Amino acid sequence: MTLVFAGVLQLTLALHVRNTLVDCAAEGARYAALADRSPEDGAARTRALIGLSLATGFADDVTVVETTIDGLAVVEVRVTAPLPVAGLLGPAGTLTVTGHALEELP
């Protein structure tokens, strides 16, 4: 029974980290897509949000690119972070999430 509880707890923690990273990436993309902001602003915003929500170690690999999807200019924020295996410590694997936002025109 203890192993089942530990497994459910671990799954819950991994899903929490994933959902938080997705939200931070999407918010960073929305911020970078504003007409008066740059991709670097979106990366900084994403790192700050991750640092406030989880830990700064989860914000080590944040990339922002301007791309086109279906003919529309979008900003894509990609975050690659360690997947927590034993609490918030574990470097056993990585998790990659993305956030997109339509780019505003000036």
Side-chain angles (χ1 to χ4, degrees):
M1 195 59 141
T2 303
L3 289 176
V4 171
F5 177 74
V8 169
L9 188 64
Q10 182 59 52
L11 179 63
T12 303
L13 180 62
L15 287 175
H16 168 70
V17 168
R18 180 195 170 277
N19 290 342
T20 302
L21 291 174
V22 167
D23 187 48
C24 293
E27 177 59 29
R30 284 190 290 272
Y31 192 73
L34 295 174
D36 60 341
R37 300 294 174 188
S38 69
E40 293 79 25
D41 294 330
R45 174 85 169 178
T46 302
R47 285 188 190 95
L49 289 171
I50 292 171
L52 289 172
S53 302
L54 297 171
T56 56
F58 289 91
D60 288 341
D61 189 7
V62 176
T63 57
V64 181
V65 294
E66 295 173 329
T67 187
T68 303
I69 297 176
D70 293 332
L72 300 171
V74 297
V75 175
E76 177 183 279
V77 175
R78 181 177 304 271
V79 178
T80 302
L83 183 63
V85 172
L88 289 175
L89 306 172
T94 59
L95 175 68
T96 302
V97 298
T98 58
H100 297 91
L102 288 174
E103 200 167 342
E104 267 186 21
L105 299 177

